[in-house]
Structures are given as C-alpha cells and as structure tokens.
C-alpha cells in the first residue's frame, strides 16, 4: 500500500508540473482563479471547499517546490525574491534582502534595452553568494518567455523516472544497508524489487486483473514497464 501510494504521488507530481508549465491551459487558468488568484502555485493553499482533485494535486507541492526552477528569458515574470531561479542544488532562492528588491522582477537586473546582466546593480544589491550565482546564468536573446525547468532531469522536464528507485521495497532497503530480508513477504517467491511489488507479485497481479489494464510481459524494470 505504501508503494502504491508513492506511485500515485508521482503521478500527481506530474499533473502538478503540467499545471505549472502550461499556465495558459484552461485547467491551469481555472485552478488559478479559484485557488491562487493573488499568488502562484507555490503559495497556493487548499482554500474554501476545495475539490477532491485539488486536494490530491496539492499533496505533490513539496516535491515540485524542491525540484522546480525558473528559467530566465526576458525576466518579466520571475520574481527576484519569491521565485526559485538561481542555479543552486540545495537552495535556488535569493538570500539577499535589500529593500530595493521587494516586488521586483529579474528584468530589473538587466542593462537597459538588453538581455545582459547589469553587473554594477547586481554587485550593489546582492550578497556575494547571490552575486556569483546570478552572474553565472547565461542569458539568451532567442528564448521567448520565462519558463520552468526540472532540476533532476537534463532535459528540464518532470518525469516519473526521477522518482524511480525511491520506493522503500525490501530490495531498495537492503541496497541502502538496512538489515532486512529482500524476499517479498507476501508471496515469498522472489526478491521484492519495485517491479515485483507493483507488477509481478501475485497480489499485484490479482489487483491488475480486476482492472482493464493488461500488465503484459517481458519488462525488467518498473520504468520500462
């Protein structure tokens, strides 16, 4: 049940990501109007009388929040203080707190009429850590709009592959030096890998057979399945 819950959460993360990057879609605009009209998805809360779907999607916010990063084009739609836009693995938010940065977009840090950093402005308003990160960002004249990037994938898109290997199966726990028996405790016929737990185990197969999904055969890993 824990494994299935984690897999369902991964699917919700994918849906949350779609809402984040497809801001002009009808669904995204509807959720924005109802749940975060005065902010963004990262500041969104359940709100009054939330739908079941929104309650479910919001469960994925923490992981998306930890792994999503703004990409800079014209900088008009990226908040200097409130958006995650710095290229840093553990904290991609600005840590500087100069009053001149409040309610300002990244475009304010460009040289007038260009897409180039105004280094003097950056040096004046930010602490050394932020200065180095900001000036390391390569700006492009060809990018049309500010966007989002998924830091765990080189292609920049959220993928179910980025949560592969994290389900706490007996096999995964043993790989992390947890002293447990790697055999599946339900069927006792195979090592409890992720693929076995969700597809190959007789208990998993019984659940799939009650649905319209054909589980197929031949897949070695859960991602390839």
């Amino acid at each position: 049940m824990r494994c299935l819950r984690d897999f369902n959460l991964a699917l919700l993360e994918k849906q949350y990501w779609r809402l984040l990057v497809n801001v002009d879609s009808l669904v995204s605009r509807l959720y924005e109007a109802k749940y975060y009209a005065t902010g963004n998805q990262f500041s969104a809360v359940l709100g009054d009388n939330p739908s079941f779907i929104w309650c479910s999607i919001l469960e994925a916010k923490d992981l998306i929040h930890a792994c999503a990063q703004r990409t800079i084009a014209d900088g008009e739609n990226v908040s200097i203080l409130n958006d995650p836009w710095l290229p840093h693995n553990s904290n991609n938010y600005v840590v500087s707190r100069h009053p001149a940065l409040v309610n300002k977009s990244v475009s304010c840090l460009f040289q007038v009429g260009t897409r180039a950093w105004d280094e003097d402005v950056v040096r004046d308003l930010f602490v050394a850590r932020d200065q180095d990160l900001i000036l390391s960002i390569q700006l492009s004249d060809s990018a049309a709009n500010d966007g989002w990037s998924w830091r765990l994938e080189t292609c920049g898109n959220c993928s179910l592959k980025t949560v592969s290997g994290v389900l706490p199966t007996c096999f995964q726990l043993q790989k992390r030096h947890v002293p447990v028996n790697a055999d599946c405790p339900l069927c006792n016929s195979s090592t409890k890998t992720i693929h076995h737990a969700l597809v190959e185990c007789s208990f998993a197969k019984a659940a799939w057979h009650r649905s319209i999904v054909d589980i197929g055969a031949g897949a070695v890993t859960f991602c390839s399945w």
Side-chain angles (χ1 to χ4, degrees), residues 31-208:
Y31 279 126
E32 179 181 1
K34 182 171 176 60
Y35 297 112
Y36 46 95
T38 59
N40 56 40
Q41 281 188 321
F42 288 163
S43 63
V45 294
L46 282 177
D48 297 328
N49 193 27
S51 69
F52 172 77
I53 295 176
W54 176 245
C55 291
S56 301
I57 290 176
L58 207 60
E59 285 208 26
K61 184 173 77 168
D62 288 345
L63 179 62
I64 298 295
H65 198 175
C67 299
Q69 179 172 315
R70 294 306 308 256
T71 56
I72 308 300
D74 59 18
E76 294 287 347
N77 298 308
V78 180
S79 168
I80 293 176
L81 295 180
N82 300 322
D83 281 336
W85 60 283
L86 299 185
H88 193 276
N89 289 332
S90 61
N91 181 14
N92 49 6
Y93 284 86
V94 163
V95 298
S96 308
R97 284 296 177 265
H98 195 287
L101 301 177
V102 176
N103 297 325
K104 294 296 192 299
S105 64
V106 171
S107 61
C108 296
L109 306 177
F110 294 171
Q111 296 176 23
V112 177
T114 73
R115 286 193 189 180
W117 298 114
D118 189 325
E119 187 169 345
D120 290 338
V121 171
V122 173
R123 298 292 184 194
D124 285 343
L125 299 180
F126 296 88
V127 298
R129 176 260 190 191
D130 291 345
Q131 294 174 20
D132 293 340
L133 292 174
I134 293 170
L135 296 176
S136 73
I137 299 174
Q138 300 297 310
L139 300 174
S140 171
D141 290 328
S142 61
N145 300 303
D146 302 318
W148 289 92
S149 178
W150 186 251
R151 293 190 294 112
L152 301 184
E153 287 285 345
T154 55
C155 66
N157 291 321
C158 177
S159 166
L160 287 183
K161 292 192 296 182
T162 60
V163 298
S164 65
V166 300
L167 301 186
T169 62
C170 297
F171 178 72
Q172 295 300 121
L173 291 173
Q174 194 176 77
K175 283 178 62 178
R176 288 163 173 77
H177 309 294
V178 178
V180 297
N181 187 338
D183 292 338
C184 176
L186 296 178
C187 65
N188 295 312
S189 64
S190 182
T191 300
K192 189 182 178 184
T193 62
I194 295 173
H195 185 60
H196 175 81
L198 298 180
V199 181
E200 292 182 329
C201 179
S202 57
F203 284 82
K205 286 181 179 178
W208 288 118

